[in-house]
Amino acid sequence: MKFVETAEKAAREAGKVILAGIGKVKDVSFKTLPSNLVTEVDKKSEEIIIDILLKDFPDFDVLAEESGSSSTKNSEFMWVIDPLDGTTNFTHSLPIFSVSIGLVKGNDVIAGVVYDPTRDHLFHAELGKGAYLNNKKLHVSKVKDIKKALLVTGFPYNVEQNPDHCFERFIKMTSESRAVRRLGSAAIDFAYVAAGIFDGFWEVKLNPWDIAAGYLLVKEAGGKITNFAGEESDIYNKQVLASNGFIHNKMVELLAEAEHIKITL
Ligand code: IPD
Ligand code: CA
Ligand code: CA
Protein backbone atom coordinates (compact mmCIF):
# COMPACT_ATOMS: atom_id res chain seq x y z
CA MET A 1 0.00 0.00 0.00
CA LYS A 2 1.20 3.48 -0.78
CA PHE A 3 1.12 4.65 2.89
CA VAL A 4 3.57 2.00 4.00
CA GLU A 5 5.69 2.42 0.88
CA THR A 6 6.13 6.14 1.52
CA ALA A 7 6.73 5.66 5.26
CA GLU A 8 9.36 2.99 4.49
CA LYS A 9 11.12 5.31 2.07
CA ALA A 10 11.14 8.11 4.65
CA ALA A 11 12.41 5.79 7.40
CA ARG A 12 15.21 4.40 5.22
CA GLU A 13 16.37 7.88 4.14
CA ALA A 14 16.34 9.05 7.77
CA GLY A 15 18.17 5.86 8.77
CA LYS A 16 21.06 6.72 6.42
CA VAL A 17 21.52 10.10 8.10
CA ILE A 18 21.36 8.53 11.56
CA LEU A 19 23.93 5.84 10.71
CA ALA A 20 26.24 8.45 9.19
CA GLY A 21 25.96 10.48 12.41
CA ILE A 22 27.02 7.79 14.90
CA GLY A 23 30.07 8.87 16.86
CA LYS A 24 30.04 12.30 15.23
CA VAL A 25 27.43 14.13 17.26
CA LYS A 26 28.50 17.76 17.69
CA ASP A 27 25.52 19.39 19.22
CA VAL A 28 23.80 17.65 22.13
CA SER A 29 21.29 19.77 23.97
CA PHE A 30 18.83 19.09 26.77
CA LYS A 31 15.09 19.32 26.51
CA THR A 32 13.27 19.58 29.85
CA LEU A 33 15.92 17.68 31.84
CA PRO A 34 19.65 16.91 31.49
CA SER A 35 18.70 13.25 30.85
CA ASN A 36 16.43 14.19 27.93
CA LEU A 37 18.77 14.73 24.99
CA VAL A 38 18.27 16.03 21.48
CA THR A 39 20.92 16.21 18.73
CA GLU A 40 21.20 17.79 15.32
CA VAL A 41 20.60 14.29 13.92
CA ASP A 42 17.13 14.04 15.55
CA LYS A 43 16.21 17.31 13.84
CA LYS A 44 17.71 16.43 10.46
CA SER A 45 16.02 13.02 10.50
CA GLU A 46 12.66 14.64 11.24
CA GLU A 47 13.07 17.16 8.40
CA ILE A 48 13.81 14.38 5.92
CA ILE A 49 10.87 12.27 7.06
CA ILE A 50 8.34 15.09 6.96
CA ASP A 51 9.57 16.20 3.51
CA ILE A 52 9.13 12.73 2.04
CA LEU A 53 5.75 12.08 3.68
CA LEU A 54 4.28 15.42 2.69
CA LYS A 55 5.54 15.15 -0.87
CA ASP A 56 3.21 12.16 -1.35
CA PHE A 57 0.49 13.25 1.10
CA PRO A 58 0.51 17.06 1.25
CA ASP A 59 -2.90 17.30 2.94
CA PHE A 60 -2.14 15.04 5.90
CA ASP A 61 -1.55 16.44 9.38
CA VAL A 62 1.71 15.73 11.20
CA LEU A 63 2.57 15.18 14.84
CA ALA A 64 6.34 14.94 15.18
CA GLU A 65 8.47 14.86 18.32
CA GLU A 66 10.87 17.71 17.57
CA SER A 67 8.65 20.12 15.66
CA GLY A 68 5.39 19.33 17.43
CA SER A 69 1.96 19.32 15.91
CA SER A 70 0.92 20.83 12.63
CA SER A 71 -2.68 19.68 12.94
CA THR A 72 -3.79 22.68 11.00
CA LYS A 73 -5.03 20.99 7.88
CA ASN A 74 -7.93 19.35 9.63
CA SER A 75 -7.21 16.13 7.82
CA GLU A 76 -8.65 12.83 9.04
CA PHE A 77 -5.10 11.45 8.55
CA MET A 78 -2.13 12.24 10.77
CA TRP A 79 1.46 11.05 10.53
CA VAL A 80 2.91 10.46 14.00
CA ILE A 81 6.71 10.58 13.90
CA ASP A 82 9.63 9.81 16.19
CA PRO A 83 12.64 10.68 14.02
CA LEU A 84 15.11 8.96 16.35
CA ASP A 85 13.81 6.73 19.11
CA GLY A 86 16.73 6.00 21.41
CA THR A 87 18.60 9.30 21.32
CA THR A 88 20.57 8.50 24.48
CA ASN A 89 21.81 5.24 22.94
CA PHE A 90 22.63 7.02 19.68
CA THR A 91 24.55 9.77 21.48
CA HIS A 92 26.68 7.12 23.21
CA SER A 93 27.11 5.05 20.01
CA LEU A 94 25.08 2.18 21.46
CA PRO A 95 23.49 0.68 18.33
CA ILE A 96 19.93 0.30 19.60
CA PHE A 97 17.73 3.03 18.11
CA SER A 98 15.09 3.38 15.46
CA VAL A 99 12.86 5.58 13.38
CA SER A 100 9.14 5.28 14.07
CA ILE A 101 6.38 6.45 11.73
CA GLY A 102 2.70 5.74 12.35
CA LEU A 103 -0.33 6.85 10.37
CA VAL A 104 -3.49 7.58 12.32
CA LYS A 105 -6.95 7.87 10.77
CA GLY A 106 -9.61 8.97 13.23
CA ASN A 107 -9.06 6.77 16.28
CA ASP A 108 -7.13 4.03 14.49
CA VAL A 109 -3.49 3.54 13.64
CA ILE A 110 -3.78 2.26 10.08
CA ALA A 111 -0.11 1.92 9.10
CA GLY A 112 3.19 1.78 10.94
CA VAL A 113 6.87 1.47 10.20
CA VAL A 114 9.73 1.00 12.66
CA TYR A 115 13.19 0.98 11.12
CA ASP A 116 16.36 -0.12 12.90
CA PRO A 117 19.12 1.14 10.56
CA THR A 118 21.96 -0.68 12.35
CA ARG A 119 20.49 -4.10 11.57
CA ASP A 120 18.55 -3.01 8.48
CA HIS A 121 15.39 -4.27 10.19
CA LEU A 122 12.30 -2.80 8.59
CA PHE A 123 9.14 -3.60 10.56
CA HIS A 124 5.84 -2.66 8.96
CA ALA A 125 2.16 -3.21 9.60
CA GLU A 126 -1.12 -2.24 8.00
CA LEU A 127 -4.47 -2.43 9.74
CA GLY A 128 -5.99 -5.83 9.03
CA LYS A 129 -3.03 -7.00 6.94
CA GLY A 130 -0.52 -8.28 9.50
CA ALA A 131 2.89 -7.23 10.74
CA TYR A 132 6.17 -7.96 8.98
CA LEU A 133 9.94 -7.81 9.49
CA ASN A 134 11.71 -7.35 6.16
CA ASN A 135 8.51 -8.66 4.55
CA LYS A 136 8.40 -11.82 6.66
CA LYS A 137 5.15 -12.20 8.60
CA LEU A 138 5.40 -11.79 12.36
CA HIS A 139 3.59 -13.49 15.22
CA VAL A 140 3.82 -12.81 18.93
CA SER A 141 5.30 -15.57 21.08
CA LYS A 142 3.32 -18.46 22.55
CA VAL A 143 4.88 -18.28 26.03
CA LYS A 144 2.17 -18.80 28.65
CA ASP A 145 4.19 -19.06 31.83
CA ILE A 146 5.54 -15.77 33.19
CA LYS A 147 8.51 -17.69 34.64
CA LYS A 148 9.59 -18.41 31.05
CA ALA A 149 8.91 -14.89 29.78
CA LEU A 150 11.51 -12.39 28.61
CA LEU A 151 10.18 -8.92 29.33
CA VAL A 152 11.30 -5.39 28.53
CA THR A 153 10.62 -1.97 30.01
CA GLY A 154 11.88 1.60 29.97
CA PHE A 155 12.03 4.48 32.39
CA PRO A 156 10.76 8.01 31.76
CA TYR A 157 13.32 10.81 31.74
CA ASN A 158 11.91 12.28 34.95
CA VAL A 159 12.04 8.98 36.84
CA GLU A 160 14.28 10.54 39.50
CA GLN A 161 11.82 13.37 40.27
CA ASN A 162 8.69 11.25 39.85
CA PRO A 163 9.48 7.54 40.21
CA ASP A 164 5.79 6.50 39.98
CA HIS A 165 6.55 2.91 41.14
CA CYS A 166 8.90 2.31 38.17
CA PHE A 167 11.56 0.70 40.33
CA GLU A 168 9.06 -1.38 42.30
CA ARG A 169 7.59 -2.68 39.04
CA PHE A 170 11.07 -3.49 37.76
CA ILE A 171 11.85 -5.49 40.93
CA LYS A 172 8.55 -7.36 40.83
CA MET A 173 8.79 -8.29 37.14
CA THR A 174 12.45 -9.25 37.46
CA SER A 175 11.74 -11.65 40.30
CA GLU A 176 8.71 -13.25 38.60
CA SER A 177 9.90 -13.60 34.98
CA ARG A 178 12.90 -15.18 33.28
CA ALA A 179 14.50 -11.75 32.87
CA VAL A 180 13.76 -8.10 32.20
CA ARG A 181 15.67 -6.00 29.67
CA ARG A 182 15.79 -2.23 29.21
CA LEU A 183 16.84 -1.40 25.64
CA GLY A 184 16.21 2.35 25.41
CA SER A 185 14.06 2.46 22.28
CA ALA A 186 10.36 1.96 22.94
CA ALA A 187 9.61 1.47 19.23
CA ILE A 188 12.06 -1.46 19.16
CA ASP A 189 10.53 -2.83 22.37
CA PHE A 190 7.12 -2.96 20.67
CA ALA A 191 8.58 -4.38 17.45
CA TYR A 192 10.30 -7.16 19.40
CA VAL A 193 7.04 -8.06 21.14
CA ALA A 194 5.46 -8.30 17.68
CA ALA A 195 8.37 -10.48 16.53
CA GLY A 196 7.98 -12.85 19.48
CA ILE A 197 11.40 -11.95 20.88
CA PHE A 198 9.97 -10.30 23.96
CA ASP A 199 6.85 -11.75 25.56
CA GLY A 200 5.81 -8.51 27.23
CA PHE A 201 6.63 -4.80 27.51
CA TRP A 202 5.43 -2.14 29.92
CA GLU A 203 6.29 1.52 30.33
CA VAL A 204 4.80 4.75 31.70
CA LYS A 205 4.72 8.23 30.20
CA LEU A 206 5.48 7.36 26.62
CA ASN A 207 4.35 9.80 23.96
CA PRO A 208 2.18 9.08 20.89
CA TRP A 209 5.27 9.15 18.63
CA ASP A 210 6.92 6.42 20.76
CA ILE A 211 3.78 4.29 20.56
CA ALA A 212 1.88 4.71 17.27
CA ALA A 213 3.77 2.43 14.86
CA GLY A 214 4.65 -0.14 17.52
CA TYR A 215 1.05 -0.29 18.70
CA LEU A 216 -0.09 -1.48 15.29
CA LEU A 217 2.83 -3.90 14.95
CA VAL A 218 1.90 -5.65 18.20
CA LYS A 219 -1.82 -5.78 17.41
CA GLU A 220 -1.28 -7.04 13.86
CA ALA A 221 1.10 -9.72 15.13
CA GLY A 222 -1.68 -11.04 17.38
CA GLY A 223 -0.65 -9.31 20.62
CA LYS A 224 -2.57 -7.30 23.18
CA ILE A 225 -2.17 -3.68 24.35
CA THR A 226 -3.90 -2.13 27.36
CA ASN A 227 -3.18 0.17 30.29
CA PHE A 228 -1.82 -1.37 33.52
CA ALA A 229 -5.33 -2.19 34.69
CA GLY A 230 -5.90 -4.31 31.59
CA GLU A 231 -8.29 -1.78 30.04
CA GLU A 232 -8.37 -0.81 26.35
CA SER A 233 -5.80 1.90 25.61
CA ASP A 234 -4.81 4.07 22.68
CA ILE A 235 -1.61 5.83 21.58
CA TYR A 236 -2.31 8.78 23.93
CA ASN A 237 -2.44 6.61 27.03
CA LYS A 238 0.28 7.23 29.59
CA GLN A 239 0.54 3.58 30.61
CA VAL A 240 1.35 0.94 28.05
CA LEU A 241 1.26 -2.80 28.59
CA ALA A 242 1.91 -4.85 25.44
CA SER A 243 2.17 -8.62 25.44
CA ASN A 244 1.63 -11.83 23.55
CA GLY A 245 -1.83 -11.96 25.18
CA PHE A 246 -1.18 -15.18 27.10
CA ILE A 247 0.73 -13.56 29.96
CA HIS A 248 -1.27 -10.32 29.91
CA ASN A 249 -3.47 -10.92 32.98
CA LYS A 250 -0.48 -12.11 34.97
CA MET A 251 1.40 -8.93 34.06
CA VAL A 252 -1.60 -6.81 35.11
CA GLU A 253 -1.62 -8.65 38.45
CA LEU A 254 2.13 -8.18 39.01
CA LEU A 255 2.06 -4.49 38.05
CA ALA A 256 -0.65 -3.92 40.65
CA GLU A 257 1.16 -5.95 43.33
CA ALA A 258 4.36 -3.98 42.68
CA GLU A 259 2.72 -0.83 44.05
CA HIS A 260 2.83 -2.37 47.55
CA ILE A 261 6.57 -3.06 47.50
CA LYS A 262 8.64 -0.83 49.80
CA ILE A 263 12.14 -0.08 48.60
CA THR A 264 14.64 1.00 51.22
CA LEU A 265 17.79 2.53 49.81
C1 IPD B 1 12.77 7.33 24.57
C2 IPD B 1 12.96 5.86 24.29
C3 IPD B 1 13.14 5.09 25.59
C4 IPD B 1 12.00 5.35 26.57
C5 IPD B 1 11.82 6.84 26.80
C6 IPD B 1 11.59 7.54 25.45
P1 IPD B 1 13.64 9.13 22.71
O1 IPD B 1 12.58 8.06 23.34
O2 IPD B 1 11.85 5.35 23.61
O3 IPD B 1 13.15 3.70 25.36
O4 IPD B 1 12.30 4.69 27.78
O5 IPD B 1 10.70 7.03 27.63
O6 IPD B 1 11.35 8.91 25.67
O7 IPD B 1 13.65 10.31 23.63
O8 IPD B 1 14.94 8.46 22.61
O9 IPD B 1 12.99 9.43 21.41
CA1 CA C 1 10.99 8.25 21.57
CA1 CA D 1 13.03 10.72 19.64
Side-chain angles (χ1 to χ4, degrees):
M1 190 215 267
K2 183 71 179 150
F3 295 145
V4 167
E5 216 176 280
T6 301
E8 278 191 17
K9 185 173 164 208
R12 285 190 190 279
E13 287 305 315
K16 285 182 199 163
V17 169
I18 295 170
L19 278 187
I22 299 181
K24 297 182 199 134
V25 176
K26 287 191 215 86
D27 180 18
V28 183
S29 36
F30 306 146
K31 289 186 186 172
T32 42
L33 289 165
S35 53
N36 193 352
L37 309 179
V38 61
T39 72
E40 72 273 15
V41 175
D42 296 66
K43 293 174 191 158
K44 185 74 202 159
S45 170
E46 187 161 305
E47 254 174 60
I48 291 169
I49 294 167
I50 294 177
D51 261 16
I52 294 175
L53 297 177
L54 292 189
K55 206 167 274 162
D56 284 356
F57 302 99
D59 302 331
F60 286 15
D61 280 319
V62 169
L63 171 63
E65 181 176 11
E66 309 308 338
S67 50
S69 173
S70 72
S71 322
T72 46
K73 296 173 189 156
N74 256 328
S75 167
E76 57 173 338
F77 293 96
M78 180 171 69
W79 291 109
V80 183
I81 304 161
D82 191 333
L84 174 44
D85 185 50
T87 298
T88 306
N89 288 350
F90 169 77
T91 305
H92 290 262
S93 301
L94 174 64
I96 306 175
F97 42 76
S98 59
V99 172
S100 175
I101 303 173
L103 179 62
V104 169
K105 183 183 180 200
N107 292 325
D108 294 319
V109 187
I110 61 163
V113 165
V114 172
Y115 182 52
D116 167 355
T118 306
R119 294 165 188 78
D120 194 25
H121 279 175
L122 194 303
F123 297 87
H124 85 265
E126 277 178 62
L127 188 61
K129 293 191 179 164
Y132 300 82
L133 164 54
N134 293 346
N135 293 321
K136 197 168 164 271
K137 199 159 200 298
L138 297 178
H139 296 282
V140 291
S141 73
K142 294 190 168 62
V143 171
K144 294 182 181 65
D145 178 357
I146 196 83
K147 293 270 176 231
K148 294 183 179 154
L150 183 62
L151 307 177
V152 67
T153 191
F155 298 113
Y157 288 117
N158 70 346
V159 68
E160 203 185 324
Q161 292 78 13
N162 180 15
D164 186 18
H165 301 293
C166 282
F167 300 121
E168 289 86 345
R169 294 190 190 107
F170 192 82
I171 290 172
K172 187 76 187 169
M173 294 303 207
T174 302
S175 52
E176 299 283 340
S177 64
R178 180 164 281 165
V180 178
R181 299 290 180 251
R182 193 264 192 265
L183 298 189
S185 168
I188 290 185
D189 297 335
F190 281 113
Y192 283 7
V193 172
I197 297 169
F198 290 130
D199 307 298
F201 165 47
W202 81 97
E203 185 157 351
V204 291
K205 300 202 191 89
L206 288 174
N207 288 295
W209 45 83
D210 303 307
I211 300 175
Y215 182 96
L216 189 62
L217 284 170
V218 170
K219 290 232 165 177
E220 286 296 323
K224 185 166 178 174
I225 304 195
T226 67
N227 64 13
F228 289 177
E231 298 154 349
E232 194 69 27
S233 70
D234 60 22
I235 63 165
Y236 302 101
N237 210 286
K238 286 290 161 196
Q239 290 181 336
V240 171
L241 170 58
S243 82
N244 64 5
F246 299 112
I247 59 165
H248 209 86
N249 290 347
K250 187 67 189 177
M251 288 187 76
V252 167
E253 199 182 291
L254 295 175
L255 289 170
E257 280 174 22
E259 301 200 2
H260 305 295
I261 294 179
K262 293 261 172 301
I263 303 180
T264 41
L265 295 173

